[in-house]
C-alpha cells in the first residue's frame, strides 16, 4: 500500500470533547460572578515542546467547541469548520495544535443557563449573568493557562468569533502573536442590533419562555427559537445566493392561495428554524446576541478605535466578503484603518464571493488559499 500523502486534506478523524473545571471565581464585566464553572473544549494536533504552535479557534453564534472531525458514535456530526481545519487543510493540524472551546453561557456542555446552579440545585435560567466578549476571552485565557499555553501562535474566528480574536489583542496583547479576523465588525450597527432585538422578542414573547425559567416547566420556547433562527438566517445569506438557490420556485406546480408554505425559500427557512429549535437553548441565544450588541472596544476610548487597538502587538489578517451585507467590507476596513493608524502589521483581503455572511464557513478556493498561506508563514517562523 502506498503511503498516505500528507499534502492531501484529511479529516482529523474521531474526536472527544473534554471538560475543564474551574473553582476560581469568574468576574463578569457586568459585576456578576460565577463561583465555579466548566468549559468544554476539543483539541486537534499536537502541542510542540516549546508550546508555541497553539491556535485558538473562537466560535460564532450557534457553534461551539466541535470545530473539526466527527464523533465516533455520531459520524454525521462534523465540526463546523471542518473544511478549514485538519491535516493538509489551511489550518494544518500536522503543524498546529488547535483548540476549540464552548464559551461560558453556551449550551453544549460549558456552564450556561441550563446548568445547575450549585446554590439552588436548579438551572440558572434567567439568573445566569449577561456575558460579554471580554468575559469569554478571560475564560479562554484561563483555559490556556491550564493547557500550559502562555502565548497563542494565532487566535482565529469568523463573525462573533472574529470579535473575540480582535479582543484578544486588546485584553492579552502579550499572549497572541497573530489575529485572524474574518467577516467581522468593530461594533454592531443600529440595524444589526435591531435584527437581534426582533429575534430576542420572538423568544421572550413565546408563552413557553416563562421569563427564562422554562426548564422547570418541562417546555421549550420552540416557536420563538424557530422565528429567531429564521430571522437570523436571512441575514447570513446574500440576495444573490438566495435567488440562485431558491429563486421564486414553488413547492407545487401552482400558487395555492393560502398562508402555508408556497415557496421553496419558505420551506427552507422553516426547516432551518425547526432544526435549530431542537438543539439550541433559548437563553443562550439571548446571551450571545446581547454579547454581540455590547461588543464595542472603542467605547472605552472616546469612540476612537485606533486608541482601542493601540496596545495590540499581534500581526493581523483581516478578511471580508463582498456580498456580506450584515458585516459588510467597509466594517472590516474600519478595523484595518485603526490598525494602520497605529502602524500595526496588517494584511487585508476582500474576497469576491456571492454567499453573504456565511461565506466565512464555506470552501472558497481563494479564501482558503489565503488562510493557508498565512498559516504557512506563521509555521515557518516557529
Amino acid at each position: 500500500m502506498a503511503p498516505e500523502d500528507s499534502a492531501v486534506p484529511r479529516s482529523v478523524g474521531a474526536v472527544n470533547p473534554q471538560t475543564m473545571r474551574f473553582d476560581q471565581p469568574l468576574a463578569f464585566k457586568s459585576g456578576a460572578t460565577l463561583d465555579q464553572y466548566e468549559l468544554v473544549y476539543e483539541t486537534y494536533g499536537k502541542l510542540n515542546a516549546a508550546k508555541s504552535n497553539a491556535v485558538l479557534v473562537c466560535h460564532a453564534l450557534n457553534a461551539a467547541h466541535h470545530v473539526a472531525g466527527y464523533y465516533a458514535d455520531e459520524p454525521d456530526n462534523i465540526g463546523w469548520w471542518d473544511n478549514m481545519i485538519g491535516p493538509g487543510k489551511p489550518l494544518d493540524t500536522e503543524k498546529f495544535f488547535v483548540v476549540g472551546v464552548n464559551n461560558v453561557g453556551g449550551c453544549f456542555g460549558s456552564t450556561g443557563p441550563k446548568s445547575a446552579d450549585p446554590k439552588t440545585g436548579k438551572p440558572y435560567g434567567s439568573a445566569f449573568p449577561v456575558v460579554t466578549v471580554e468575559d469569554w476571552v478571560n475564560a479562554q485565557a484561563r483555559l490556556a493557562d491550564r493547557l500550559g499555553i502562555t502565548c497563542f501562535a494565532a487566535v482565529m474566528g469568523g463573525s462573533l468569533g472574529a470579535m473575540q480574536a480582535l479582543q484578544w489583542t486588546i485584553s492579552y496583547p502579550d499572549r497572541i502573536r497573530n489575529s485572524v479576523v474574518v467577516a467581522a465588525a468593530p461594533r454592531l450597527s443600529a440595524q444589526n442590533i435591531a435584527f437581534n432585538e426582533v429575534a430576542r422578542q420572538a423568544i421572550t414573547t413565546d408563552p413557553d419562555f416563562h421569563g427564562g425559567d422554562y426548564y422547570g416547566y418541562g417546555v421549550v420556547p420552540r416557536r420563538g427559537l424557530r422565528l429567531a433562527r429564521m430571522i437570523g438566517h436571512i441575514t447570513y445569506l446574500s440576495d444573490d445566493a438566495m435567488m440562485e438557490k431558491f429563486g421564486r420556485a414553488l413547492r407545487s406546480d401552482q400558487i395555492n392561495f393560502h398562508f402555508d408554505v408556497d415557496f421553496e425559500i419558505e420551506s427552507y427557512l422553516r426547516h432551518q428554524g425547526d432544526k435549530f429549535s431542537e438543539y439550541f437553548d433559548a437563553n443562550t441565544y439571548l446571551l450571545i446576541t446581547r454579547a454581540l450588541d455590547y461588543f464595542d472596544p472603542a467605547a472605552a476610548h472616546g469612540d476612537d478605535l485606533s486608541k482601542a487597538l493601540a496596545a495590540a502587538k499581534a500581526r493581523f489578517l483581516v478578511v471580508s466578503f463582498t456580498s456580506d451585507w450584515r458585516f459588510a467590507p467597509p466594517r472590516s476596513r474600519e478595523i484595518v484603518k485603526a490598525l494602520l493608524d497605529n502602524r500595526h502589521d496588517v494584511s487585508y483581503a476582500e474576497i469576491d464571493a456571492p454567499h453573504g455572511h456565511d461565506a466565512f464557513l464555506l470552501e472558497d478556493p481563494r479564501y482558503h488559499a489565503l488562510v493557508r498561506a498565512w498559516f504557512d508563514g506563521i509555521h515557518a517562523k516557529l
Side-chain angles (χ1 to χ4, degrees), residues 242-257:
M242 292 176 82
M243 282 301 295
E244 181 181 349
K245 187 170 184 178
F246 303 105
R248 291 181 53 83
L250 297 169
R251 293 212 70 194
S252 61
D253 58 359
Q254 62 182 12
I255 292 176
N256 291 304
F257 298 99

Side-chain angles (χ1 to χ4, degrees), residues 54-92:
V55 176
L56 174 66
V57 174
C58 304
H59 69 78
L61 194 154
N62 66 313
H65 54 280
H66 186 37
V67 180
Y70 58 87
Y71 296 139
D73 57 346
E74 296 180 79
D76 294 331
N77 187 351
I78 298 171
W80 58 269
W81 224 351
D82 189 74
N83 61 28
M84 179 70 74
I85 297 162
K89 295 181 181 180
L91 178 45
D92 194 338

Side-chain angles (χ1 to χ4, degrees), residues 312-363:
K313 298 178 181 180
R315 295 170 63 244
F316 289 83
L317 173 63
V318 181
V319 182
S320 67
F321 301 92
T322 53
S323 60
D324 182 354
W325 59 273
R326 181 146 197 185
F327 293 161
R331 306 310 310 281
S332 288
R333 291 199 289 269
E334 290 178 44
I335 298 171
V336 172
K337 180 185 180 300
L339 293 171
L340 291 176
D341 286 345
N342 288 291
R343 298 176 182 261
H344 291 323
D345 187 338
V346 55
S347 297
Y348 174 61
E350 191 170 306
I351 307 293
D352 184 8
H355 313 293
H357 186 59
D358 268 357
F360 83 91
L361 294 169
L362 303 178
E363 199 168 346

